[in-house]
Amino acid sequence: MDGSPEEITTLVGREVYSNNGVFVGEVDDVRLNLDETAVTGLALGGINDELFGSRIEPGRGVIVPYRWVRAVGDVILVNDVVERMKGSEEEEEEAVV
């Protein structure tokens, strides 16, 4: 990027991946803080059912805090926190068994 500002709408439609290369979802919308004129989150649709299956109702999306975003380019990279959420859920299920 050349450092010139881009419109927020350019984020919509981009695919989101964890920094480990796992598909998370696709940006449907952007959450803004109008007081600070800052992006605070990305609303994702078409989310990876393997990551969110039991936590999110079918057809629903998630909002990823923008502080999790590591890089924005042709795709958006986010921290692996999303994958850790899945891991903690699996550990809970193993503890119940």
Side-chain angles (χ1 to χ4, degrees), residues 57-69:
E57 295 176 26
R60 303 285 308 242
V62 296
I63 295 180
V64 174
Y66 199 76
R67 67 179 179 275
W68 290 5
V69 173

Side-chain angles (χ1 to χ4, degrees), residues 44-49 51-62 89:
L44 305 183
I47 57 175
N48 183 338
D49 288 335
L51 292 178
F52 299 103
S54 64
R55 294 177 186 236
I56 307 296
E57 295 176 26
R60 303 285 308 242
V62 296
E89 179 180 282

Side-chain angles (χ1 to χ4, degrees), residues 43-96:
L44 305 183
I47 57 175
N48 183 338
D49 288 335
E50 290 181 22
L51 292 178
F52 299 103
S54 64
R55 294 177 186 236
I56 307 296
E57 295 176 26
R60 303 285 308 242
V62 296
I63 295 180
V64 174
Y66 199 76
R67 67 179 179 275
W68 290 5
V69 173
R70 296 180 57 97
V72 176
D74 292 337
V75 297
I76 297 172
L77 296 179
V78 295
N79 288 329
D80 64 343
V81 175
V82 176
E83 292 174 60
R84 290 184 196 168
M85 286 175 31
K86 179 184 178 201
S88 67
E89 179 180 282
E90 289 172 352
E91 290 170 7
E92 288 173 10
E93 288 174 3
E94 290 173 3
V96 172

